[in-house]
Amino acid sequence: MEYNFHEIESKWQQKWENDNAFRRVEDPNKEKYYMLEMFPYPSGKLHMGHVRNYSIGDVITRYKTMRGYNVLHPMGWDAFGLPAENAAIAHGIHPSTWTWDNIDNMRQQLKGLGFSYDWEREVATCHPSYYKWTQWMFLQLYKNGLAYKKKSYVNWCPSCSTVLANEQVVNGQCERCGTAVGKKDLEQWFFRITKYAERLLNDIEKLKGWPEKVKIMQKNWIGRSEGAMVNFKIEGTDETITVFTTRPDTIYGVTYMVLAPEHPMVLELVKGTEYESKALEFIDKVQHMNEITRTSEETEKEGLFIGRHAINPMNGERVPLFIANYVLLEYGTGAVMGVPAHDQRDFEFATKYDLPIIPVIKPERDDIDISNLKEAFEAEGVMINSGPFNGLSNVEGIQKIIEYMEQKDIGKRHVNYRLRDWLISRQRYWGAPIPIVYCDNCGIVPVPEEQLPVILPTDVAFKGKSQSVLLDNQSFIKTTCPQCGQSARRETDTMDTFVCSSFYFLRFTDPKNTEAPFSREKAEYWMAVDQYVGGVEHAILHLLYARFFTKFLYDLGLSPVDEPFTNLLTQGMVLKDGAKMSKSKGNVVSPEEIIDKYGADTARLFILFAAPPDRDLEWSDQGVEGCYRFLNRVWRIVNDFKDVCVDSGNEDGTASLSEQDKQLRYVVHNTIKRVTVDIEERFNFNTAISAVMELVNALYQYRDKVAPAQQNRAVIKEAISNLLLLLAPFAPHITEELWELTTHEGSIHEQPWPTFDSEALVQDQIEIVVQINGRVRDRVMVAADASQQEVEGTVLSLPKIKDLIGDKNVSKVIVVPKKLVNIVVKG
RNA sequence: GCGGAAGUGGCGGAACAGGCAGACGCUGCAGUUUGAGGGGCUGUUGCCCAUAACGGGCGUAAGGGUUCGAGUCCCUUCUUCCGCACCA
């Protein structure tokens, strides 16, 4: 009988669906395991990255299930976002139609791959039953002062015509479309993620099951630095400028001050002075520089004196005030003190504009030559030129100066974060509407919870481009104020889609709840996610936001955990010809064609076999063929032994074992051990599969080398059963079919995971490698229980070894039990 | 510049606590089965020397070190990929 994967795969997919095989509910008597893969954006079709992501998750799910866990394995759709809107604009399809069609299509594809999802729990973020809770989350944040609106310079993508979060700007370009991002001064909604900065940073330590790389990326993104806020008075005004510095110990070396060109105080300071026009010109120039060159270290530092002086609060020195391109409004206070002797950027700036360079730290040993300073001295040392602080180590000086400043009320200790608040407004249609109403009497009014969801209207027309169609939708905009009942206006911005994906893992624990986003009880059973799998591209954005939400919900008493994901696996990319698969490069292999030609089992097997999951994977058509060949080999050998399996019943054949029987049993039980360790401890599916391949090879050997009359049916049956069980998580359809064929009862996926028999792993003869001076010269079989002396004696009496030693001196013999003997020979 | 990961045959990759480098798969070659093709099966496949045969030498980015023994540990250097990047 041929291996007809089409028939087999659809047969079992049907059966699993009819039997609700993957439905899971809370069961207090069983240990739970929450397996989650990052849910996809419904772009239309699965790509190989999806297949990889979900194959990894499915192996773990099926394995853990066989290990007896109650495994939660849900799937859903991150369904809001721009591509739907772009499709609508380009093809005249409504984003909703486009999205739901894609979801239907991709759900079919996922089922066609045989993934074991509990489809009863499916969610789509664009469905009112879901975004009701997205809006609800917004309201909770708002109530707790963590959602607020402010006017600020924000990142603006002209192509997507919407604002972007800092995290969505990559190299000054829009993360989505690659267009250079500009700045706009807009009123926008923010989430105060900065309030959680410290905890988000400190709790990274709890994430023992996360890759180091991701943790470091998050640490750097949060970017904590300790220092002080220092106030500088502006001469001739009542104004004070506050700077943040990590080096208060260098404050006596301040020789100038700089503001970011966009700093709100700049215009005031130059107003009506001779410097005004030049300053405006400079600001304009800097703003038209794009973000990439602006923030590159190579870009030459440029500045402009704006006619004012600041007073150093420590020593009363008068220093000139500049604006310069290298100071960023977004970081710290948007103002810095210039200490050219001890900061390389300041050094370059001071050199260019001929500003004094005053060293205030000298190295422990050598004296610093002021006239000869080639670069800033940024290392630690001893304080000089610093009044009462002279002679202190600068590390001590930092503390002393901060204390002094706090006493004199000229500054204070401060911890600064690079992390900015999360800008969540989007000027787009296809997203969850922000549940806010603007009333002329009452101002900003949140929509009451009982009025949620604020439904996204579907009667919209996509005429032109760029602008959100919500702006034209008067029936949506016009509303009444929930407080005073007078006519009012709805917020037309929608939320960043990352808001939707920041709590979906909690929603999965209780997806149909209409009273709450999820019940505490169910979340208590299922959370936290035991294993999360997805691409490393979400290392910062999604994973940081999800952690923030979880902590917030934990503080509200809703979430039972304050970290959502216990273990994280970041899978590598799928490459072809060394590059990421992409339409533009024309190197895309579609999952559909592979499944059609070889079946889902082959597709899954290949993608797991070709590389360890965390590494990039090079696609190989021949490699796929190889996996297909392997499954055919499995098919044939099991069919060959079918009758043996069926007839042998439960006969115990382990009583009289031949050498070959023992060998086969050794391979079988060793394979159980290897596969278990590979899955359990390392997620090394590639080596797990290769171990199963070796088992199949051993079965063929046994079939061909042992005369049929000598074959031990119980040993064969044991080998076949275990082969199928070990392969089941990887290739679920063919193993299910062969399990049935060999008249095993029940679904193979409900069987317990096999355990190895350590008896079978005991060998009475062991091969010992014989080395002379570290080179392999011979090998010999010895009894497994032979003593070191016996082994040494055996080895030294081997003819070949005797020959090679000749009359040379044996100075040492090293015996590594059960492995090797190394004879050290001199002369 | 900073941080991270990596560098092993023709290719993807093994080698888990310092003990046989190249498991497993692909590719190539030779043979076999078959009417042919496909497919299956058997052998072989790191490089060099030798070859009737036994065999021998060299090999894990480069160089050095520790060790009876190093892909693995230490030092120096190089390359590639990824992330961050004027962060005060």
Side-chain angles (χ1 to χ4, degrees), chain A residues 237-255:
Chain A
T237 71
D238 296 333
E239 302 288 355
T240 299
I241 290 177
T242 305
V243 300
F244 172 70
T245 177
T246 53
R247 295 294 303 273
D249 54 318
T250 64
I251 193 160
Y252 284 86
V254 172
T255 57

Side-chain angles (χ1 to χ4, degrees), chain A residues 152-169:
Chain A
S152 67
Y153 266 114
V154 293
N155 304 304
W156 177 264
C157 173
S159 161
C160 302
S161 79
T162 185
V163 298
L164 300 171
N166 281 336
E167 288 82 353
Q168 286 165 320
V169 181

